[in-house]
């Protein structure tokens, strides 16, 4: 039997999901097939509406090797596992003459722990374990969540937290889940044979396609002990998020609360001398954390260095003491020991990492406003350590022994892929060398006609924004734009404070247009309400720049208050910028401008989500039109029609609003 061609397979898959085949999707599938067959790497930019999921799934399934697909968001993971993969597998089965298996795999703490559920959760105040179901008041939200999870445990096949609807708080979930460090292990646990996390891993080992998240991919790369099954092809979707997710996994944190929790847990099993040593070291660390330290610590202050060494050494002593202790009076001693060791080892590892002082690490101190009253007055103080760059780690761990495809709607910044490639540890495209991963960048475009569907407007007449300064002229402009658009506005702000100030001011100026503000409701509820009422506006910060998908008339104006450069006092970004400059590069362009370009591209992508969408992206920052780096930022955005003419934009918004109102009116008439 002749092997089916890629176009035949793609056509069958697209038909099965009820989609429309697009040139960009075909081009993407061909590029992915070429990369997999050649064992090379591919960065592919596929605009919204391209159908990129099938663009990589079809050639990957056709190849026949095991593939891991890593995504950043739960929404895409669900789409792949619940919709795209089942339909695609069914569609391709007759032609492939096999039925590829697929599975979802996440970190252990995402799965219900049956041992924790049935035997109880270790508590800090007393010996052994306690029954969390008895301890929580049945009428409290926590008690209700716990009882619901106990019932759910008898019904669920996966134990996956994301399959529990409605969801529960982190506090409730922590009572019935464990981290990988706390887990007893399948062979030592009485519930090992029924363990949801172990079953998920077994399903993954037997599957042709494993869908996971960026965090687990990072853990697999960083920790050396493989958590993902061996695979020949890696596909990273939403790849613009990868560097920040890997950085997050590679970041360590120490807080007084975390250290004190380790002290309490260690006291259950360690001998008195070891426990007292850790208690003393914890008190010394806590005293120093109460002081006003600077942000980034390029050199660790002497007293803090001594405190961290004392903490490290005390942790080491306690770890040895706990390992040598057996106390049968402690209920479920193995579980209590595992939790105590996990807490102490976590503190030890971060303290040792900071003490060792790698030139590739950035250390900084953060203090946030205390929350929860006097009992939590130290909860906002933390010491953090993160890698200066994850590029080397990714180059070494990601791009060896497999073909890697990275895709997103925003990978091409400033006109090429080299900026994103550099952040991933890749040399400029076309660079030759024995140890240089070979890759190609492909932009397959978008099915949307951005020049006809959208306008990019820069408010060139506004004063240059100053950090945390009063921007009355910006608020005037924003008010007029919203009025011209008839609401229908997604406001993307560079800080939560700016979003709050704008919402407060505009609620009093234009009460006829409801202003929703991020943080006042859950994100899902905000987006639902925003989509439901065209007169409504939604204001917020970072997660809105990337997480809103509202096609249709409810979002016809996307406003960015200013270019989202990282704050000058951001310890990690400023350290990365300085490192580039010391190496002879342009730190501002490599770090700050790239960061801003990626966010702006994502933000602008909120406007056109369907072929019938029309609207304006308004940037209320003159620098996009006047600064030298403006052309780089504009080249990173969709190819909208560009203007600085405020009157023309108001007329266009009013015309779009009138057309939308007319369409809404006719729909109401038809439904009457």
């Amino acid at each position: 039997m002749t092997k089916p061609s890629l176009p035949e397979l793609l056509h069958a898959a697209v038909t099965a999901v009820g989609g429309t085949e697009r040139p960009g999707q075909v081009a993407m599938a061909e590029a992915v097939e070429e990369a997999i067959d050649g064992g090379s790497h591919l960065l592919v930019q596929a605009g919204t509406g391209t159908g990129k999921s099938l663009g990589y799934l079809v050639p990957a399934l056709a190849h026949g090797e095991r593939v891991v697909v890593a995504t950043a968001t739960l929404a895409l993971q669900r789409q792949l596992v619940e919709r795209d993969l089942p339909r695609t597998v069914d569609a391709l089965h007759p032609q492939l003459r096999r039925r590829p298996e697929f599975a979802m795999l996440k970190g252990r703490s995402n799965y219900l722990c049956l041992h924790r559920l049935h035997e109880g959760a270790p508590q800090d105040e007393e010996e052994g374990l306690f029954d969390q179901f008895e301890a929580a008041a049945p009428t409290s939200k926590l008690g209700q969540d716990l009882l619901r999870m106990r019932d759910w445990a008898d019904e669920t096949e996966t134990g996956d937290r994301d399959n529990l609807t409605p969801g529960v708080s982190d506090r409730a979930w922590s009572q019935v889940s464990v981290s990988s460090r706390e887990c007893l292990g399948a062979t030592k646990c009485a519930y090992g044979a029924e363990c949801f996390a172990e079953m998920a891993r077994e399903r993954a080992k037997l599957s042709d396609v494993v869908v996971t998240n960026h965090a687990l991919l990072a853990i697999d790369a960083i920790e050396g002990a493989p958590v993902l099954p061996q695979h020949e092809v890696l596909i990273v979707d939403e790849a613009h998020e990868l560097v920040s997710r890997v950085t997050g996994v590679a970041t360590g944190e120490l807080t007084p609360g975390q250290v004190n929790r380790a002290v309490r847990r260690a006291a259950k099993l360690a001998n008195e001398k070891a426990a007292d040593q850790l208690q003393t070291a914890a008190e010394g660390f806590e005293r120093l954390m109460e002081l006003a330290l600077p942000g980034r610590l390029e050199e660790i202050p002497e007293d803090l260095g001594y405190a961290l060494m004392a903490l490290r050494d005390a942790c080491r002593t306690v770890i040895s003491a706990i390992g040598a202790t057996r106390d049968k009076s402690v209920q479920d001693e193995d579980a209590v020991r595992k939790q105590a060791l996990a807490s102490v080892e976590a503190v030890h590892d971060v303290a040792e990492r900071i003490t060792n002082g790698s030139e590739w690490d950035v250390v900084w101190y953060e203090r946030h406003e205390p929350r929860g009253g006097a009992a939590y007055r130290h909860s906002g103080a933390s010491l953090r350590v993160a890698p200066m760059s994850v590029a080397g780690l990714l180059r070494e761990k990601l791009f060896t022994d497999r073909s890697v495809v990275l895709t997103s709607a925003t990978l091409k910044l400033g006109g090429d892929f080299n900026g994103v490639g550099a952040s991933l540890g890749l040399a400029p495209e076309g660079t030759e060398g024995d140890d240089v991963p070979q890759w190609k960048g492909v932009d397959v475009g978008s099915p949307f006609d951005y020049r006809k569907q959208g306008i990019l407007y820069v408010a060139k007449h506004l004063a240059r924004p100053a950090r945390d300064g009063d921007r009355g002229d910006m608020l005037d402009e924003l008010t007029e734009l919203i009025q011209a658009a008839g609401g229908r506005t997604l406001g993307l702000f560079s800080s939560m404070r700016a979003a709050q100030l704008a919402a407060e001011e505009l609620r009093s100026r234009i009460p006829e247009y409801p202003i929703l503000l991020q943080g006042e409701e859950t994100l899902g509820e905000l987006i639902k309400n925003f989509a439901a009422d065209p007169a409504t506006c939604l204001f917020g910060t970072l997660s809105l720049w990337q997480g809103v998908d509202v096609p249709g008339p409810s979002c016809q104006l996307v406003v960015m208050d200013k270019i989202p450069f990282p704050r000058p006092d951001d310890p990690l970004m400023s350290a990365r910028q300085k490192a580039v400059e010391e190496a002879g590069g342009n730190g501002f362009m490599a770090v700050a401008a790239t960061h801003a370009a990626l966010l702006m591209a994502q933000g602008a992508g909120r406007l056109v989500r369907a072929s019938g969408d029309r609207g304006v992206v308004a940037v209320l920052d003159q620098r996009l039109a006047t600064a030298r780096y403006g052309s780089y930022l504009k080249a990173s955005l969709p190819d909208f029609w560009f203007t600085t003419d405020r009157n023309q934009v108001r007329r266009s918004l009013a015309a779009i609003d009138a057309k939308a109102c007319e369409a809404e009116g006719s729909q109401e008439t038809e439904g009457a």
Side-chain angles (χ1 to χ4, degrees):
M1 181 177 174
T2 307
K3 181 181 176 182
S5 68
L6 181 64
E8 290 172 338
L9 293 172
L10 187 60
H11 177 74
V14 171
T15 303
V17 300
T20 303
E21 202 169 289
R22 298 185 171 108
Q25 187 182 56
V26 174
M28 178 178 180
E30 291 172 346
V32 172
E33 180 183 52
E34 181 184 341
I36 294 175
D37 288 346
S40 60
H41 311 302
L42 175 71
L43 271 65
V44 55
Q45 176 162 292
T48 305
T50 301
K52 59 183 168 60
S53 298
L54 293 185
Y56 59 70
L57 285 178
V58 171
L61 289 169
H63 192 68
E65 306 283 3
R66 179 183 284 131
V67 57
V68 167
V69 180
T71 78
T73 63
L74 171 63
L76 182 53
Q77 288 165 34
R78 279 186 167 160
Q79 177 189 314
L80 288 168
V81 171
E82 296 175 10
R83 192 190 75 178
D84 292 350
L85 275 165
R87 294 178 181 179
T88 304
V89 166
D90 286 345
L92 301 188
H93 173 229
Q95 298 186 61
L96 293 178
R97 302 179 70 81
R98 57 184 171 83
R99 184 177 292 276
E101 299 290 330
F102 56 89
M104 175 94 80
L105 184 61
K106 302 176 183 178
R108 189 170 293 273
S109 61
N110 290 280
Y111 299 97
L112 182 79
C113 172
L114 293 171
H115 183 279
R116 198 43 91 77
L117 182 80
H118 295 302
E119 305 300 331
Q123 61 176 346
D124 297 331
E125 292 75 18
E126 300 172 14
E127 294 286 314
L129 283 73
F130 76 108
D131 189 329
Q132 61 272 57
F133 299 95
E134 291 181 5
T139 56
S140 70
K141 179 68 168 65
L142 176 62
Q144 291 170 354
D145 282 344
L146 288 171
L147 291 171
R148 187 156 58 86
M149 285 191 288
R150 186 160 64 183
D151 293 338
W152 176 68
D154 295 329
E155 305 166 3
T156 178
E157 295 182 2
T158 64
D160 185 337
R161 177 181 182 177
D162 293 321
N163 293 336
L164 174 63
T165 8
V168 297
S169 66
D170 289 347
R171 183 186 176 201
W173 185 254
S174 69
Q175 303 295 309
V176 296
S177 65
V178 295
S179 66
S180 56
R181 269 181 160 163
E182 294 171 320
C183 177
L184 290 170
T187 57
K188 293 183 179 179
C189 178
Y191 303 91
E194 311 160 65
C195 176
F196 290 118
E198 290 297 322
M199 286 194 291
R201 294 186 76 165
E202 286 304 311
R203 283 194 296 270
K205 287 178 184 176
L206 300 173
S207 295
D208 301 280
V209 179
V210 180
V211 178
T212 188
N213 53 45
H214 289 181
L216 197 64
L217 178 63
I219 291 168
D220 187 70
I222 292 168
E223 296 193 350
V227 291
L228 294 171
Q230 186 69 32
H231 51 282
E232 291 71 31
V233 179
L234 170 64
I235 296 171
V236 183
D237 205 339
E238 301 170 311
H240 63 277
E241 289 266 34
L242 182 63
V243 169
S244 64
R245 298 297 173 105
V246 174
T247 299
V249 169
T251 297
E253 183 177 33
L254 272 183
T255 68
Q258 173 195 2
V259 173
N260 289 329
R261 189 161 52 250
V263 170
R264 290 192 299 271
R265 291 174 176 174
K268 298 172 186 175
L269 289 168
N271 60 60
E272 187 176 350
K273 182 179 178 183
D276 286 348
Q277 182 184 348
L278 183 56
Q279 174 75 52
T280 301
E283 290 170 356
F285 174 72
E286 186 169 0
R287 279 195 300 273
L288 285 171
M289 291 298 283
E290 292 173 2
L291 304 176
L293 296 168
R296 183 185 175 193
L297 306 176
E298 294 198 49
E299 290 187 8
I300 306 300
E302 189 175 18
D303 50 357
L304 179 60
Y306 283 130
L308 289 169
M309 284 190 282
L311 201 56
R312 175 200 63 191
D313 296 343
C315 285
R316 197 174 289 155
T317 301
V318 164
I319 291 166
S320 298
I322 291 177
T325 302
R326 291 291 179 271
D327 186 347
K328 295 301 180 185
S329 67
V330 176
Q331 180 192 350
D332 207 341
E333 182 190 0
D334 285 343
V336 175
R337 175 179 289 104
K338 261 290 190 179
Q339 188 189 54
L341 281 171
S343 289
V344 177
E345 287 169 353
V347 172
H348 169 271
D349 291 352
V350 179
E352 182 172 57
R353 180 177 170 185
I354 297 174
T355 302
N356 287 345
S358 167
E359 63 177 306
W360 307 113
D361 273 342
V362 179
V363 181
W364 71 96
Y365 172 90
E366 286 184 356
R367 180 179 290 282
H368 307 292
E369 289 299 316
R371 290 174 288 180
Y376 300 95
R377 65 187 182 278
H378 303 306
S379 63
S382 65
L383 199 60
R384 310 192 78 198
V385 55
M388 179 80 74
S389 167
V390 295
L393 173 72
L394 291 173
R395 181 177 62 249
E396 179 186 352
K397 302 291 187 180
L398 217 62
F399 296 99
T400 52
D401 303 324
R402 58 186 166 190
S403 178
V404 182
V405 174
L406 300 107
T407 184
S408 166
T410 48
L411 289 180
K412 192 175 181 181
L413 303 179
D416 62 44
F417 292 90
N418 288 331
V420 169
S423 71
L424 297 165
L426 298 171
E429 186 175 1
T431 303
E432 299 290 337
D434 293 339
D435 297 323
V436 178
Q438 296 301 303
W439 64 280
K440 183 167 78 169
V442 176
D443 181 359
V444 300
S446 167
F448 305 140
D449 188 342
Y450 287 118
R451 299 282 293 181
K452 291 183 179 178
Q453 290 183 249
I455 296 171
L456 173 61
Y457 163 59
V458 178
K460 191 177 177 182
H461 61 282
L462 296 181
R464 187 183 177 100
R467 184 181 168 191
D468 299 330
D470 176 38
R471 297 197 67 197
D473 59 344
M474 184 275 287
L475 293 173
D476 293 340
E477 181 79 9
L478 180 56
T479 302
E480 293 177 18
L481 287 169
I482 290 174
Q483 288 174 319
R488 312 178 190 275
T489 300
L490 176 65
L492 305 176
F493 291 83
S494 52
S495 71
M496 202 60 229
R497 180 174 176 270
Q500 289 165 346
L501 289 173
E504 183 180 333
E505 177 69 21
L506 268 68
R507 279 169 176 168
S508 63
R509 289 192 187 193
I510 44 174
E512 65 271 29
Y513 299 113
I515 308 286
L516 304 177
L517 178 63
Q518 187 179 356
E520 293 183 345
E521 293 180 70
T522 65
L523 189 56
E525 197 66 23
L526 286 170
I527 294 172
K528 178 183 172 184
N529 293 337
F530 175 54
D533 179 12
T536 298
C537 304
L538 173 57
F539 288 4
T541 184
L542 193 59
S543 56
L544 294 191
W545 288 72
Q546 306 183 77
V548 177
D549 185 7
V550 179
S554 288
C555 183
Q556 295 185 335
L557 172 62
V558 174
V559 178
M560 304 180 198
D561 70 326
K562 63 180 180 180
I563 297 171
F565 292 122
R567 290 175 64 91
D569 58 359
D570 181 303
L572 188 54
M573 288 295 192
S574 58
R576 287 175 171 174
Q577 191 165 321
K578 183 178 178 183
V580 172
E581 289 164 357
E582 289 175 348
N586 186 326
F588 172 78
M589 292 302 296
V591 178
T594 298
H595 172 87
L598 194 55
L599 269 182
M600 291 186 77
Q602 283 288 309
R606 302 310 97 201
L607 182 69
V608 177
R609 310 298 295 176
S611 58
D613 287 351
R614 300 287 187 276
V616 173
V617 172
V619 181
L620 309 185
D621 186 337
Q622 58 149 277
R623 293 175 294 177
L624 188 62
T626 60
R628 282 183 298 174
Y629 50 77
S631 58
Y632 169 81
L633 298 176
K634 280 196 291 183
S636 307
L637 304 180
D639 186 27
F640 295 127
W641 190 78
F642 176 73
T643 185
T644 59
D645 186 333
R646 57 195 301 206
N647 294 321
Q648 183 175 22
V649 164
R650 280 157 183 68
R651 289 194 299 271
S652 297
L653 282 170
I656 294 168
D657 176 42
K659 191 171 183 179
C661 289
E662 183 182 325
E664 289 157 15
S666 64
Q667 286 174 0
E668 289 175 7
T669 303
E670 288 170 11

